[in-house]
Amino acid sequence: MEYMQTPATSSQGNILCCTCGIQILPNPANMCVSCMRSEVDISDGIPKQVTMHFCKQCERYLQPPGTWMQCALESRELLTLCLKKLKSSMTKVRLIDAGFLWTEPHSKRIKMKLTIQKEVMNGAILQQVFVVEFVVLSQMCDDCHRVEAKDFWKAVVQVRQKTAHKKTFYYLEQLILKHKLHQNSLRIKEIHEGIDFYYGSKQHGQKMVDFLQCTVPCRSKTSQRLISHDIHSNTYNYKSTFSIEIVPVCKDNVVCLSPRLAQSLGNMGQVCVCARVTSAIHLIDPNTLQIAEVDGNTYWRNPFNSLCHPRQLEEFIVMDIDIIRDQKQKAGAGIRSNKHTLAEVWVQKTSEMGQQYHCRTFLGHLLNIGDLVLGFDFANSNINDEFLNKMNPHRVPDVVLIKKSYNRSKRVKRRNWKLKEMDKDREGMDTDDERQYQDFLEDLEEDEALRKNVNIFRDSSKIPVESDTDEDGAPTISLMEMLEDLTLSDATGGDGTDMMTD
């Protein structure tokens, strides 16, 4: 739409256009709009076709000279970016309105309608509407170049744990996914006994180190290697390496504490079971139900090792059980667990029926006569441990029961939930990973406190189960604790972030 703006009042009479002769209201140029348009084009000098660069990998637009912005189609951010492209050519006109015109999402074209004003010919103000077309060209950004190169990194965080089981790593992976700390990494490489995170800047690597130190008991070391040095500007280019060592203790491990550490934790027994590993190691004494937490600093001052490998756990059957109601605590004893029940049980191995073993356990609230339970046989094992060898043999239990055993195949079929995983490069991984992953999933079902920090998604391919336990007593996760794994889509039927890709 084009019109003439004039200060003339309604009392003035019409005049004739000096060019075509039609009657018009008086204006400083004494010309009609059509003649004014033929004489002056206020959009002259403003390009009608502009080029924009778009990275298909990260779906960001280039804002010169080197900034990449995340903008959705027809968003305010994209409108601002497009107007900045025209800013230098619109210094002599005034912008009145700007908006997008619909284009096919895959056409690589963005059309914007502009309304501008400019003072022309003796003070007359002319307004004009025109369309500018932005052509979207593909260009890989610097960050995506680094990802594709896989070697162009400035910092690497090497996370290691010298254990036979990866329960702590599976738990750590879910925490990283929940807090979205993996998004800044250029590459995630899974290797033996650990994971490497590669970053494009030292700050991102330091952020991951700070997160790990708050979520798991660990210790860290930092080193850097000089890559290049510019003697003229006195700038240095380093590659930084952060080494994180997680304590070598996992859930369901049997450990033997040093006498000094056991005394400092409230005179608890030296032989304990690791109930959980979060930001600290949660220990429980199977003889007294006494619990304690050992953080990373305490562990490295008084280190202890796991006494058994997960594959060394044997299956026992409960022959008799007697709940201990009144347990007298020793002087100076610490806190006792309220979630467990102390009991005396008589068990025998399912592999060799005959000999029975007597022990105390913290699983009295779960076990009944005839139940199967996994435990570690101290009586028939050869263990070389510094603190265990110095203990009084009468204080070393014959069997330490770890967890109740359920039918794994039934649990897998009944499981109606799933977890997300990070996109990792796997090189030379052990074939026992699937078995260990199933152990971690079972731990989530059995430990409500552990799964509070994990995002659990409902598996739509499975039939939902409302009950917290199944017919054989195995615990499950209720639907109230599950999240819906949703994907947002636009009117075209595809993901909104993929609209500008081929």
Side-chain angles (χ1 to χ4, degrees), residues 316-348:
F316 295 85
I317 184 170
V318 179
M319 307 303 296
D320 194 8
I321 181 170
D322 184 15
I323 303 297
I324 300 176
R325 302 297 179 183
D326 298 325
Q327 171 70 12
K328 295 183 180 180
Q329 287 185 294
K330 299 179 181 179
I335 305 174
R336 296 183 62 188
S337 174
N338 296 324
K339 297 181 180 180
H340 301 85
T341 302
L342 189 63
E344 291 186 350
V345 294
W346 284 259
V347 296
Q348 66 180 13

Side-chain angles (χ1 to χ4, degrees), residues 27 69 185 251 300 350:
N27 60 73
M69 297 178 56
S185 60
K251 186 180 184 298
W300 297 117
T350 56

Side-chain angles (χ1 to χ4, degrees), residues 169-213:
F169 273 114
Y170 292 133
Y171 173 71
L172 184 60
E173 178 182 8
Q174 296 304 316
L175 291 179
I176 294 174
L177 287 171
K178 184 173 183 178
H179 294 87
K180 299 180 180 180
L181 287 178
H182 65 294
Q183 294 181 343
N184 294 327
S185 60
L186 304 179
R187 183 188 182 194
I188 303 176
K189 182 180 179 182
E190 184 175 0
I191 62 175
H192 181 61
E193 292 185 346
I195 303 178
D196 291 345
F197 296 88
Y198 293 88
Y199 294 95
S201 66
K202 184 179 179 180
Q203 290 76 13
H204 289 156
Q206 185 64 53
K207 184 179 179 180
M208 172 61 81
V209 172
D210 296 339
F211 174 78
L212 293 176
Q213 290 177 339

Side-chain angles (χ1 to χ4, degrees), residues 66-281:
T67 305
W68 291 84
M69 297 178 56
Q70 189 87 30
C71 304
L73 285 179
E74 299 189 4
S75 64
R76 182 179 299 180
E77 293 79 8
L78 185 58
L79 183 65
T80 303
L81 183 60
C82 293
L83 290 176
K84 286 183 179 179
K85 286 275 190 178
L86 304 174
K87 184 178 180 180
S88 60
S89 60
M90 296 178 61
T91 56
K92 297 181 180 180
V93 299
R94 184 170 63 176
L95 179 65
I96 302 301
D97 187 27
F100 288 108
L101 297 178
W102 187 89
T103 56
E104 174 63 34
H106 300 281
S107 64
K108 298 288 187 180
R109 298 291 187 273
I110 299 175
K111 292 185 177 180
M112 186 169 63
K113 184 173 72 171
L114 300 177
T115 304
I116 59 174
Q117 285 183 355
K118 185 180 181 181
E119 184 177 332
V120 296
M121 289 189 182
N122 302 324
I125 298 176
L126 185 63
Q127 179 170 307
Q128 184 175 345
V129 179
F130 64 101
V131 177
V132 178
E133 183 181 68
F134 294 86
V135 181
V136 181
L137 299 180
S138 297
Q139 177 180 329
M140 186 177 292
C141 65
D142 295 338
D143 295 336
C144 294
H145 265 297
R146 295 169 183 169
V147 175
E148 293 297 324
K150 294 185 178 180
D151 290 328
F152 195 92
W153 50 270
K154 294 294 182 67
V156 57
V157 180
Q158 299 174 339
V159 187
R160 300 291 184 269
Q161 187 185 30
K162 299 178 181 179
T163 56
H165 207 288
K166 298 182 179 179
K167 286 184 179 181
T168 306
F169 273 114
Y170 292 133
Y171 173 71
L172 184 60
E173 178 182 8
Q174 296 304 316
L175 291 179
I176 294 174
L177 287 171
K178 184 173 183 178
H179 294 87
K180 299 180 180 180
L181 287 178
H182 65 294
Q183 294 181 343
N184 294 327
S185 60
L186 304 179
R187 183 188 182 194
I188 303 176
K189 182 180 179 182
E190 184 175 0
I191 62 175
H192 181 61
E193 292 185 346
I195 303 178
D196 291 345
F197 296 88
Y198 293 88
Y199 294 95
S201 66
K202 184 179 179 180
Q203 290 76 13
H204 289 156
Q206 185 64 53
K207 184 179 179 180
M208 172 61 81
V209 172
D210 296 339
F211 174 78
L212 293 176
Q213 290 177 339
C214 296
T215 52
V216 290
C218 60
R219 61 181 177 181
S220 63
K221 290 183 179 179
T222 305
S223 62
Q224 58 185 9
R225 178 164 57 96
L226 180 63
I227 303 302
S228 61
H229 174 212
D230 188 352
I231 60 175
H232 302 287
S233 61
N234 200 28
T235 57
Y236 296 83
N237 182 20
Y238 291 101
K239 280 191 175 183
S240 302
T241 301
F242 302 92
S243 298
I244 305 295
E245 184 180 0
I246 304 176
V247 295
V249 178
C250 288
K251 186 180 184 298
D252 298 335
N253 282 168
V254 182
V255 298
C256 184
L257 309 179
S258 64
R260 180 180 179 182
L261 179 59
Q263 183 179 8
S264 66
L265 296 177
N267 289 327
M268 67 187 305
Q270 288 185 246
V271 178
C272 300
V273 177
C274 178
R276 186 185 309 120
V277 177
T278 55
S279 57
I281 304 174

Side-chain angles (χ1 to χ4, degrees), residues 392-405:
N392 187 345
H394 297 288
R395 295 184 177 272
V396 179
D398 293 337
V399 174
V400 175
L401 301 182
I402 304 298
K403 59 190 296 187
K404 188 176 179 180
S405 178

